[in-house]
Amino acid sequence: GAVVSQHPSRVICKSGTSVKIECRSLDFQATTMFWYRQFPKQSLMLMATSNEGSKATYEQGVEKDKFLINHASLTLSTLTVTSAHPEDSSFYICSARDSRTGGDTQYFGPGTRLTVL
Amino acid sequence: GIQVEQSPPDLILQEGANSTLRCNFSDSVNNLQWFHQNPWGQLINLFYIPSGTKQNGRLSATTVATERYSLLYISSSQTTDSGVYFCAVERTGGSEKLVFGKGTKLTVNP
């Protein structure tokens, strides 16, 4: 089946630093990837849609200058949390669709737990 | 936007029991997926089921698109079934965005 990986799985950083999270589709190509955020005991909220070779589309209320998204290839999207603050601490999850099959199923990565001190 | 409501919010079962989880949605959809989020946070695809009925082992799901609901059935539950079950939908004509319900937290006791 389709596999999506994320790296790192867990990161702790100091306030004011930037953190990059990678999302890779391992056995399929994805022109579109999605970034979600999940706070403890809550549901997933879509942050942005990452489009290969073009700018990401951000959901309302998500600061595009704070959460930088780069989708440089058909198998890799990155999310950079810039000047992180404690309120950015959360579980970040990416997903991807298989572009070749054109299917609607989204496959999710294992998530990255970010803690900002 | 489309609203997704899941019920019950919490469910506690004894091992071996059966259960039904419900997902109601407020608009027509062309994508509906059920996920199981394990204790480590990984979302596991259970079903892609915008309509009809599917079965996979002890799990089955039915979506009645015309009535805007989906059901997930778990039979002979096991402790490993514990976790949070999410329903997520994509509105017909929407831009591939999945909207998640708040989930059902299932605890299966031995």
Side-chain angles (χ1 to χ4, degrees):
Chain A
V3 179
V4 176
S5 70
Q6 277 185 245
H7 178 80
S9 58
R10 185 182 297 268
V11 57
I12 301 172
C13 69
K14 293 183 178 180
S15 187
T17 61
S18 295
V19 175
K20 180 185 283 189
I21 302 169
E22 292 186 349
C23 176
R24 294 181 185 272
S25 55
L26 297 186
D27 50 2
F28 66 99
Q29 294 180 334
T31 55
T32 304
M33 293 184 174
F34 304 88
W35 287 96
Y36 296 82
R37 184 174 182 175
Q38 185 180 31
F39 290 108
K41 300 188 186 301
Q42 294 191 23
S43 187
L44 280 76
M45 296 297 293
L46 179 66
M47 298 176 64
T49 302
S50 172
N51 304 298
E52 189 266 337
S54 65
K55 292 183 178 181
T57 305
Y58 291 82
E59 294 301 298
Q60 192 172 7
V62 177
E63 299 176 60
K64 62 181 181 180
D65 294 331
K66 182 168 187 60
F67 298 100
L68 301 180
I69 291 173
N70 188 339
H71 193 153
S73 77
L74 288 172
T75 59
L76 173 64
S77 176
T78 60
L79 169 68
T80 301
V81 183
T82 63
S83 187
H85 291 286
E87 57 265 30
D88 298 324
S89 298
S90 189
F91 192 53
Y92 293 88
I93 310 174
C94 71
S95 72
R97 284 186 176 177
D98 189 336
S99 302
R100 293 167 301 176
T101 64
D104 291 332
T105 303
Q106 284 193 25
Y107 300 95
F108 283 76
T112 297
R113 196 165 301 280
L114 170 63
T115 303
V116 184
L117 303 177
Chain B
I2 192 167
Q3 304 298 313
V4 183
E5 295 183 0
Q6 290 187 243
S7 59
D10 295 278
L11 185 58
I12 300 175
L13 302 174
Q14 286 299 122
E15 202 167 24
N18 303 327
S19 62
T20 301
L21 282 58
R22 188 177 180 103
C23 173
N24 292 334
F25 42 95
S26 62
D27 206 342
S28 61
V29 300
N30 59 11
N31 182 358
L32 188 149
Q33 293 181 240
W34 282 98
F35 298 92
H36 175 212
Q37 188 170 38
N38 65 22
W40 298 271
Q42 171 76 63
L43 277 169
I44 299 166
N45 288 64
L46 298 178
F47 294 103
Y48 165 77
I49 188 166
S51 64
T53 298
K54 290 186 178 179
Q55 180 161 4
N56 184 2
R58 295 182 296 104
L59 302 181
S60 63
T62 296
T63 298
V64 183
T66 53
E67 297 188 21
R68 299 182 182 171
Y69 72 89
S70 183
L71 302 174
L72 177 69
Y73 305 96
I74 304 174
S75 65
S76 304
S77 58
Q78 301 175 358
T79 56
T80 51
D81 294 331
S82 296
V84 182
Y85 289 80
F86 287 105
C87 165
V89 305
E90 175 188 333
R91 186 176 58 84
T92 300
S95 53
E96 300 183 299
K97 298 178 184 179
L98 277 181
V99 176
F100 280 75
K102 292 185 176 182
T104 292
K105 183 179 179 182
L106 175 64
T107 302
V108 181
N109 293 320

Short mmCIF file of all heavy atoms in Angstrom, two decimals, chain A residues 47-111:
data_model
loop_
_atom_site.label_atom_id
_atom_site.label_comp_id
_atom_site.label_asym_id
_atom_site.label_seq_id
_atom_site.Cartn_x
_atom_site.Cartn_y
_atom_site.Cartn_z
N MET A 47 -4.15 22.72 7.68
CA MET A 47 -3.42 23.99 7.69
C MET A 47 -3.25 24.53 6.27
O MET A 47 -3.47 25.71 6.01
CB MET A 47 -2.04 23.81 8.30
CG MET A 47 -2.02 23.37 9.73
SD MET A 47 -0.35 23.06 10.31
CE MET A 47 0.35 24.70 10.20
N ALA A 48 -2.83 23.64 5.37
CA ALA A 48 -2.51 24.11 4.02
C ALA A 48 -2.44 22.94 3.06
O ALA A 48 -2.24 21.78 3.46
CB ALA A 48 -1.17 24.84 4.02
N THR A 49 -2.63 23.26 1.80
CA THR A 49 -2.49 22.31 0.71
C THR A 49 -1.20 22.63 -0.03
O THR A 49 -1.01 23.78 -0.47
CB THR A 49 -3.69 22.39 -0.24
OG1 THR A 49 -4.89 22.14 0.50
CG2 THR A 49 -3.57 21.37 -1.36
N SER A 50 -0.35 21.64 -0.15
CA SER A 50 0.95 21.82 -0.77
C SER A 50 0.91 21.31 -2.20
O SER A 50 0.57 20.16 -2.44
CB SER A 50 1.99 21.03 0.04
OG SER A 50 3.24 21.01 -0.60
N ASN A 51 1.22 22.17 -3.16
CA ASN A 51 1.15 21.83 -4.57
C ASN A 51 2.55 21.79 -5.18
O ASN A 51 3.31 22.76 -5.07
CB ASN A 51 0.29 22.86 -5.32
CG ASN A 51 -1.08 23.00 -4.72
OD1 ASN A 51 -1.86 22.06 -4.69
ND2 ASN A 51 -1.38 24.19 -4.21
N GLU A 52 2.87 20.68 -5.82
CA GLU A 52 4.19 20.52 -6.42
C GLU A 52 4.45 21.59 -7.46
O GLU A 52 3.63 21.79 -8.37
CB GLU A 52 4.32 19.12 -7.03
CG GLU A 52 5.72 18.78 -7.50
CD GLU A 52 5.93 19.09 -8.97
OE1 GLU A 52 4.93 19.14 -9.71
OE2 GLU A 52 7.09 19.28 -9.38
N GLY A 53 5.54 22.32 -7.29
CA GLY A 53 5.94 23.32 -8.25
C GLY A 53 5.20 24.64 -8.17
O GLY A 53 5.43 25.53 -9.01
N SER A 54 4.35 24.81 -7.19
CA SER A 54 3.65 26.09 -7.06
C SER A 54 3.45 26.42 -5.59
O SER A 54 3.81 25.65 -4.70
CB SER A 54 2.30 26.05 -7.79
OG SER A 54 1.44 25.11 -7.20
N LYS A 55 2.85 27.57 -5.35
CA LYS A 55 2.67 28.01 -3.97
C LYS A 55 1.61 27.19 -3.26
O LYS A 55 0.65 26.72 -3.87
CB LYS A 55 2.27 29.48 -3.95
CG LYS A 55 3.37 30.44 -4.41
CD LYS A 55 2.90 31.88 -4.30
CE LYS A 55 4.00 32.84 -4.71
NZ LYS A 55 3.56 34.27 -4.59
N ALA A 56 1.80 27.09 -1.96
CA ALA A 56 0.83 26.38 -1.15
C ALA A 56 -0.42 27.23 -0.96
O ALA A 56 -0.39 28.46 -1.05
CB ALA A 56 1.44 26.04 0.20
N THR A 57 -1.51 26.55 -0.70
CA THR A 57 -2.78 27.23 -0.40
C THR A 57 -3.06 27.06 1.08
O THR A 57 -3.19 25.93 1.56
CB THR A 57 -3.93 26.61 -1.22
OG1 THR A 57 -3.60 26.65 -2.61
CG2 THR A 57 -5.21 27.38 -0.97
N TYR A 58 -3.16 28.18 1.78
CA TYR A 58 -3.33 28.14 3.23
C TYR A 58 -4.79 28.30 3.62
O TYR A 58 -5.54 29.04 2.99
CB TYR A 58 -2.49 29.25 3.88
CG TYR A 58 -1.00 29.02 3.78
CD1 TYR A 58 -0.30 29.34 2.63
CD2 TYR A 58 -0.30 28.45 4.85
CE1 TYR A 58 1.06 29.11 2.53
CE2 TYR A 58 1.06 28.22 4.77
CZ TYR A 58 1.73 28.55 3.60
OH TYR A 58 3.09 28.31 3.51
N GLU A 59 -5.15 27.63 4.70
CA GLU A 59 -6.49 27.77 5.24
C GLU A 59 -6.60 29.10 5.99
O GLU A 59 -5.60 29.68 6.44
CB GLU A 59 -6.82 26.61 6.16
CG GLU A 59 -6.92 25.28 5.44
CD GLU A 59 -7.97 25.27 4.35
OE1 GLU A 59 -9.16 25.45 4.69
OE2 GLU A 59 -7.60 25.09 3.18
N GLN A 60 -7.82 29.54 6.14
CA GLN A 60 -8.06 30.81 6.83
C GLN A 60 -7.51 30.74 8.24
O GLN A 60 -7.74 29.76 8.97
CB GLN A 60 -9.56 31.08 6.85
CG GLN A 60 -9.92 32.48 7.29
CD GLN A 60 -11.41 32.78 7.12
OE1 GLN A 60 -12.19 31.89 6.79
NE2 GLN A 60 -11.80 34.01 7.36
N GLY A 61 -6.80 31.79 8.62
CA GLY A 61 -6.26 31.87 9.96
C GLY A 61 -4.87 31.28 10.12
O GLY A 61 -4.27 31.40 11.19
N VAL A 62 -4.34 30.65 9.10
CA VAL A 62 -2.99 30.07 9.16
C VAL A 62 -2.02 31.07 8.55
O VAL A 62 -2.19 31.50 7.41
CB VAL A 62 -2.93 28.73 8.41
CG1 VAL A 62 -1.50 28.18 8.43
CG2 VAL A 62 -3.89 27.74 9.01
N GLU A 63 -0.99 31.44 9.31
CA GLU A 63 -0.03 32.45 8.85
C GLU A 63 0.96 31.83 7.88
O GLU A 63 1.80 31.01 8.27
CB GLU A 63 0.72 33.01 10.05
CG GLU A 63 -0.15 33.70 11.09
CD GLU A 63 0.67 34.14 12.28
OE1 GLU A 63 1.62 34.93 12.08
OE2 GLU A 63 0.40 33.68 13.40
N LYS A 64 0.91 32.25 6.64
CA LYS A 64 1.78 31.67 5.63
C LYS A 64 3.24 32.04 5.84
O LYS A 64 4.14 31.31 5.41
CB LYS A 64 1.33 32.06 4.23
CG LYS A 64 1.36 33.54 3.95
CD LYS A 64 0.87 33.82 2.54
CE LYS A 64 0.90 35.29 2.22
NZ LYS A 64 0.42 35.58 0.84
N ASP A 65 3.49 33.17 6.48
CA ASP A 65 4.88 33.56 6.72
C ASP A 65 5.47 32.82 7.90
O ASP A 65 6.69 32.79 8.08
CB ASP A 65 4.97 35.07 6.97
CG ASP A 65 4.61 35.87 5.74
OD1 ASP A 65 4.83 35.35 4.62
OD2 ASP A 65 4.10 36.99 5.88
N LYS A 66 4.62 32.25 8.71
CA LYS A 66 5.11 31.49 9.86
C LYS A 66 5.29 30.01 9.51
O LYS A 66 6.21 29.37 9.95
CB LYS A 66 4.14 31.62 11.02
CG LYS A 66 4.61 30.89 12.27
CD LYS A 66 3.79 31.27 13.45
CE LYS A 66 4.39 30.66 14.70
NZ LYS A 66 5.76 31.10 14.96
N PHE A 67 4.38 29.51 8.73
CA PHE A 67 4.42 28.10 8.34
C PHE A 67 4.75 28.04 6.84
O PHE A 67 3.87 28.09 5.99
CB PHE A 67 3.07 27.43 8.63
CG PHE A 67 2.71 27.43 10.09
CD1 PHE A 67 1.81 28.37 10.60
CD2 PHE A 67 3.26 26.50 10.96
CE1 PHE A 67 1.48 28.38 11.94
CE2 PHE A 67 2.92 26.50 12.31
CZ PHE A 67 2.04 27.44 12.80
N LEU A 68 6.03 27.91 6.56
CA LEU A 68 6.50 27.91 5.17
C LEU A 68 6.43 26.51 4.60
O LEU A 68 6.95 25.56 5.19
CB LEU A 68 7.94 28.43 5.11
CG LEU A 68 8.17 29.85 5.64
CD1 LEU A 68 9.64 30.23 5.51
CD2 LEU A 68 7.29 30.85 4.92
N ILE A 69 5.82 26.39 3.43
CA ILE A 69 5.67 25.09 2.80
C ILE A 69 6.36 25.10 1.45
O ILE A 69 6.18 26.02 0.64
CB ILE A 69 4.18 24.73 2.64
CG1 ILE A 69 3.56 24.47 4.02
CG2 ILE A 69 4.01 23.51 1.74
CD1 ILE A 69 2.07 24.28 4.00
N ASN A 70 7.14 24.06 1.19
CA ASN A 70 7.84 23.89 -0.06
C ASN A 70 7.58 22.48 -0.59
O ASN A 70 7.80 21.51 0.12
CB ASN A 70 9.36 24.09 0.15
CG ASN A 70 10.11 24.12 -1.16
OD1 ASN A 70 9.63 23.62 -2.18
ND2 ASN A 70 11.28 24.69 -1.15
N HIS A 71 7.10 22.40 -1.80
CA HIS A 71 6.81 21.09 -2.42
C HIS A 71 7.65 21.00 -3.68
O HIS A 71 7.17 21.21 -4.78
CB HIS A 71 5.31 21.02 -2.72
CG HIS A 71 4.81 19.65 -3.05
ND1 HIS A 71 3.51 19.28 -2.82
CD2 HIS A 71 5.39 18.57 -3.58
CE1 HIS A 71 3.32 18.04 -3.20
NE2 HIS A 71 4.46 17.58 -3.67
N ALA A 72 8.91 20.68 -3.46
CA ALA A 72 9.90 20.79 -4.54
C ALA A 72 9.90 19.62 -5.51
O ALA A 72 10.40 19.74 -6.62
CB ALA A 72 11.30 20.96 -3.94
N SER A 73 9.36 18.49 -5.09
CA SER A 73 9.35 17.33 -5.97
C SER A 73 8.05 16.57 -5.78
O SER A 73 7.26 16.90 -4.90
CB SER A 73 10.54 16.41 -5.68
OG SER A 73 10.30 15.65 -4.51
N LEU A 74 7.84 15.56 -6.59
CA LEU A 74 6.59 14.79 -6.52
C LEU A 74 6.54 13.85 -5.33
O LEU A 74 5.53 13.18 -5.12
CB LEU A 74 6.41 13.99 -7.81
CG LEU A 74 6.04 14.81 -9.04
CD1 LEU A 74 6.08 13.95 -10.29
CD2 LEU A 74 4.68 15.46 -8.88
N THR A 75 7.62 13.79 -4.57
CA THR A 75 7.63 12.89 -3.41
C THR A 75 8.01 13.59 -2.11
O THR A 75 8.13 12.93 -1.08
CB THR A 75 8.62 11.73 -3.64
OG1 THR A 75 9.92 12.27 -3.86
CG2 THR A 75 8.20 10.88 -4.83
N LEU A 76 8.20 14.89 -2.13
CA LEU A 76 8.67 15.57 -0.93
C LEU A 76 7.99 16.93 -0.75
O LEU A 76 7.99 17.77 -1.65
CB LEU A 76 10.18 15.78 -0.98
CG LEU A 76 10.81 16.63 0.14
CD1 LEU A 76 10.61 15.94 1.49
CD2 LEU A 76 12.29 16.87 -0.13
N SER A 77 7.44 17.13 0.45
CA SER A 77 6.96 18.44 0.87
C SER A 77 7.56 18.73 2.23
O SER A 77 7.72 17.82 3.05
CB SER A 77 5.43 18.45 0.95
OG SER A 77 4.97 19.70 1.46
N THR A 78 7.92 19.99 2.45
CA THR A 78 8.46 20.36 3.75
C THR A 78 7.64 21.49 4.36
O THR A 78 7.13 22.37 3.66
CB THR A 78 9.93 20.82 3.64
OG1 THR A 78 10.01 21.96 2.78
CG2 THR A 78 10.81 19.71 3.10
N LEU A 79 7.53 21.41 5.69
CA LEU A 79 6.86 22.45 6.47
C LEU A 79 7.89 23.03 7.42
O LEU A 79 8.49 22.27 8.20
CB LEU A 79 5.69 21.87 7.25
CG LEU A 79 5.05 22.77 8.33
CD1 LEU A 79 4.34 23.95 7.69
CD2 LEU A 79 4.07 21.97 9.19
N THR A 80 8.13 24.32 7.34
CA THR A 80 9.06 24.97 8.25
C THR A 80 8.28 25.90 9.17
O THR A 80 7.59 26.81 8.69
CB THR A 80 10.14 25.78 7.50
OG1 THR A 80 10.86 24.89 6.62
CG2 THR A 80 11.11 26.43 8.46
N VAL A 81 8.40 25.63 10.46
CA VAL A 81 7.79 26.50 11.47
C VAL A 81 8.85 27.53 11.83
O VAL A 81 9.88 27.19 12.43
CB VAL A 81 7.35 25.71 12.71
CG1 VAL A 81 6.65 26.62 13.70
CG2 VAL A 81 6.44 24.56 12.30
N THR A 82 8.64 28.77 11.45
CA THR A 82 9.64 29.81 11.67
C THR A 82 9.39 30.51 13.00
O THR A 82 8.24 30.68 13.42
CB THR A 82 9.62 30.84 10.54
OG1 THR A 82 8.34 31.48 10.53
CG2 THR A 82 9.85 30.18 9.19
N SER A 83 10.47 30.89 13.64
CA SER A 83 10.39 31.60 14.92
C SER A 83 9.34 30.97 15.82
O SER A 83 8.36 31.59 16.22
CB SER A 83 10.06 33.08 14.69
OG SER A 83 10.14 33.79 15.90
N ALA A 84 9.59 29.70 16.11
CA ALA A 84 8.60 28.93 16.86
C ALA A 84 8.40 29.47 18.27
O ALA A 84 9.34 29.94 18.92
CB ALA A 84 9.03 27.47 16.91
N HIS A 85 7.16 29.38 18.75
CA HIS A 85 6.81 29.78 20.10
C HIS A 85 6.08 28.63 20.77
O HIS A 85 5.58 27.71 20.09
CB HIS A 85 5.96 31.04 20.07
CG HIS A 85 6.71 32.26 19.63
ND1 HIS A 85 7.62 32.90 20.44
CD2 HIS A 85 6.72 32.92 18.45
CE1 HIS A 85 8.15 33.92 19.78
NE2 HIS A 85 7.62 33.95 18.58
N PRO A 86 5.98 28.66 22.09
CA PRO A 86 5.32 27.54 22.79
C PRO A 86 3.93 27.23 22.27
O PRO A 86 3.54 26.05 22.25
CB PRO A 86 5.30 28.03 24.24
CG PRO A 86 6.50 28.89 24.36
CD PRO A 86 6.61 29.59 23.04
N GLU A 87 3.19 28.22 21.81
CA GLU A 87 1.84 27.95 21.30
C GLU A 87 1.85 27.18 19.98
O GLU A 87 0.79 26.71 19.52
CB GLU A 87 1.05 29.25 21.13
CG GLU A 87 1.70 30.26 20.23
CD GLU A 87 2.51 31.28 21.00
OE1 GLU A 87 3.06 30.94 22.07
OE2 GLU A 87 2.63 32.42 20.51
N ASP A 88 3.02 27.07 19.34
CA ASP A 88 3.14 26.26 18.12
C ASP A 88 3.35 24.78 18.44
O ASP A 88 3.34 23.96 17.50
CB ASP A 88 4.32 26.76 17.27
CG ASP A 88 4.14 28.19 16.81
OD1 ASP A 88 3.00 28.58 16.53
OD2 ASP A 88 5.15 28.93 16.77
N SER A 89 3.54 24.47 19.71
CA SER A 89 3.69 23.07 20.10
C SER A 89 2.42 22.31 19.71
O SER A 89 1.31 22.71 20.08
CB SER A 89 3.92 22.96 21.60
OG SER A 89 5.11 23.63 21.98
N SER A 90 2.60 21.24 18.98
CA SER A 90 1.45 20.50 18.47
C SER A 90 1.94 19.24 17.78
O SER A 90 3.14 18.98 17.69
CB SER A 90 0.67 21.37 17.48
OG SER A 90 -0.56 20.78 17.14
N PHE A 91 1.01 18.47 17.28
CA PHE A 91 1.29 17.28 16.48
C PHE A 91 0.98 17.65 15.03
O PHE A 91 -0.15 18.01 14.71
CB PHE A 91 0.41 16.13 16.97
CG PHE A 91 0.78 14.78 16.45
CD1 PHE A 91 2.07 14.29 16.57
CD2 PHE A 91 -0.18 13.96 15.87
CE1 PHE A 91 2.41 13.03 16.11
CE2 PHE A 91 0.15 12.69 15.40
CZ PHE A 91 1.44 12.22 15.52
N TYR A 92 1.99 17.58 14.17
CA TYR A 92 1.83 17.96 12.77
C TYR A 92 1.82 16.70 11.91
O TYR A 92 2.72 15.85 12.01
CB TYR A 92 2.95 18.90 12.33
CG TYR A 92 2.88 20.25 13.01
CD1 TYR A 92 3.50 20.46 14.24
CD2 TYR A 92 2.18 21.30 12.45
CE1 TYR A 92 3.42 21.68 14.89
CE2 TYR A 92 2.10 22.54 13.08
CZ TYR A 92 2.72 22.72 14.31
OH TYR A 92 2.62 23.94 14.93
N ILE A 93 0.81 16.58 11.06
CA ILE A 93 0.64 15.38 10.25
C ILE A 93 0.50 15.78 8.79
O ILE A 93 -0.23 16.73 8.47
CB ILE A 93 -0.62 14.59 10.68
CG1 ILE A 93 -0.65 14.36 12.18
CG2 ILE A 93 -0.69 13.25 9.94
CD1 ILE A 93 -1.95 13.72 12.68
N CYS A 94 1.15 15.04 7.91
CA CYS A 94 0.98 15.31 6.49
C CYS A 94 0.24 14.14 5.84
O CYS A 94 0.18 13.04 6.39
CB CYS A 94 2.33 15.52 5.80
SG CYS A 94 3.33 14.02 5.64
N SER A 95 -0.32 14.41 4.69
CA SER A 95 -0.97 13.35 3.92
C SER A 95 -0.72 13.60 2.44
O SER A 95 -0.32 14.69 2.04
CB SER A 95 -2.48 13.29 4.20
OG SER A 95 -3.13 14.40 3.62
N ALA A 96 -0.97 12.57 1.65
CA ALA A 96 -0.74 12.67 0.22
C ALA A 96 -1.69 11.76 -0.53
O ALA A 96 -2.16 10.75 0.01
CB ALA A 96 0.71 12.29 -0.11
N ARG A 97 -1.94 12.15 -1.77
CA ARG A 97 -2.74 11.31 -2.67
C ARG A 97 -1.85 10.78 -3.78
O ARG A 97 -0.93 11.47 -4.21
CB ARG A 97 -3.86 12.11 -3.30
CG ARG A 97 -4.99 12.37 -2.37
CD ARG A 97 -6.14 13.04 -3.09
NE ARG A 97 -7.27 13.20 -2.20
CZ ARG A 97 -8.39 13.79 -2.55
NH1 ARG A 97 -8.52 14.28 -3.77
NH2 ARG A 97 -9.39 13.90 -1.71
N ASP A 98 -2.15 9.59 -4.27
CA ASP A 98 -1.40 9.00 -5.37
C ASP A 98 -1.84 9.66 -6.68
O ASP A 98 -2.95 9.43 -7.15
CB ASP A 98 -1.65 7.49 -5.40
CG ASP A 98 -0.73 6.78 -6.38
OD1 ASP A 98 -0.24 7.41 -7.34
OD2 ASP A 98 -0.51 5.58 -6.19
N SER A 99 -0.96 10.46 -7.26
CA SER A 99 -1.30 11.21 -8.47
C SER A 99 -1.52 10.29 -9.67
O SER A 99 -2.31 10.59 -10.56
CB SER A 99 -0.16 12.17 -8.82
OG SER A 99 0.09 13.06 -7.76
N ARG A 100 -0.82 9.16 -9.71
CA ARG A 100 -0.90 8.30 -10.89
C ARG A 100 -2.26 7.64 -11.00
O ARG A 100 -2.83 7.52 -12.07
CB ARG A 100 0.19 7.24 -10.86
CG ARG A 100 1.59 7.80 -11.00
CD ARG A 100 2.61 6.75 -10.64
NE ARG A 100 2.41 6.28 -9.28
CZ ARG A 100 3.12 5.31 -8.73
NH1 ARG A 100 4.06 4.70 -9.43
NH2 ARG A 100 2.89 4.93 -7.49
N THR A 101 -2.78 7.20 -9.86
CA THR A 101 -4.07 6.51 -9.91
C THR A 101 -5.22 7.50 -9.94
O THR A 101 -6.34 7.14 -10.33
CB THR A 101 -4.24 5.59 -8.70
OG1 THR A 101 -4.27 6.39 -7.51
CG2 THR A 101 -3.11 4.59 -8.60
N GLY A 102 -4.96 8.71 -9.51
CA GLY A 102 -6.04 9.69 -9.47
C GLY A 102 -7.08 9.38 -8.41
O GLY A 102 -8.16 9.95 -8.40
N GLY A 103 -6.75 8.48 -7.51
CA GLY A 103 -7.71 8.11 -6.47
C GLY A 103 -7.90 9.21 -5.44
O GLY A 103 -7.10 10.12 -5.32
N ASP A 104 -9.00 9.09 -4.71
CA ASP A 104 -9.33 10.09 -3.71
C ASP A 104 -8.77 9.76 -2.32
O ASP A 104 -8.82 10.60 -1.43
CB ASP A 104 -10.85 10.24 -3.61
CG ASP A 104 -11.44 10.88 -4.87
OD1 ASP A 104 -10.71 11.63 -5.52
OD2 ASP A 104 -12.60 10.60 -5.18
N THR A 105 -8.27 8.56 -2.15
CA THR A 105 -7.80 8.17 -0.82
C THR A 105 -6.58 8.98 -0.44
O THR A 105 -5.62 9.09 -1.21
CB THR A 105 -7.46 6.68 -0.80
OG1 THR A 105 -8.61 5.93 -1.18
CG2 THR A 105 -7.03 6.25 0.59
N GLN A 106 -6.61 9.56 0.76
CA GLN A 106 -5.45 10.24 1.31
C GLN A 106 -4.73 9.30 2.27
O GLN A 106 -5.36 8.64 3.09
CB GLN A 106 -5.86 11.51 2.05
CG GLN A 106 -6.23 12.67 1.15
CD GLN A 106 -6.33 13.98 1.87
OE1 GLN A 106 -5.71 14.19 2.92
NE2 GLN A 106 -7.11 14.91 1.32
N TYR A 107 -3.41 9.27 2.15
CA TYR A 107 -2.58 8.44 3.02
C TYR A 107 -1.79 9.37 3.94
O TYR A 107 -1.23 10.37 3.49
CB TYR A 107 -1.64 7.58 2.18
CG TYR A 107 -2.38 6.66 1.25
CD1 TYR A 107 -2.62 7.02 -0.07
CD2 TYR A 107 -2.87 5.43 1.70
CE1 TYR A 107 -3.33 6.19 -0.92
CE2 TYR A 107 -3.57 4.59 0.86
CZ TYR A 107 -3.80 4.98 -0.46
OH TYR A 107 -4.50 4.16 -1.29
N PHE A 108 -1.76 9.00 5.22
CA PHE A 108 -1.21 9.89 6.22
C PHE A 108 0.15 9.42 6.72
O PHE A 108 0.40 8.22 6.86
CB PHE A 108 -2.17 10.02 7.40
CG PHE A 108 -3.34 10.92 7.09
CD1 PHE A 108 -4.37 10.48 6.29
CD2 PHE A 108 -3.37 12.21 7.58
CE1 PHE A 108 -5.44 11.32 5.98
CE2 PHE A 108 -4.43 13.06 7.29
CZ PHE A 108 -5.46 12.60 6.48
N GLY A 109 1.00 10.40 7.01
CA GLY A 109 2.27 10.10 7.64
C GLY A 109 2.07 9.84 9.12
O GLY A 109 0.98 10.04 9.67
N PRO A 110 3.14 9.41 9.81
CA PRO A 110 3.04 9.07 11.23
C PRO A 110 3.02 10.27 12.16
O PRO A 110 2.81 10.12 13.35
CB PRO A 110 4.29 8.23 11.47
CG PRO A 110 5.26 8.73 10.45
CD PRO A 110 4.45 9.10 9.25
N GLY A 111 3.23 11.48 11.61
CA GLY A 111 3.16 12.67 12.44
C GLY A 111 4.49 13.08 13.03
O GLY A 111 5.42 12.28 13.16
#
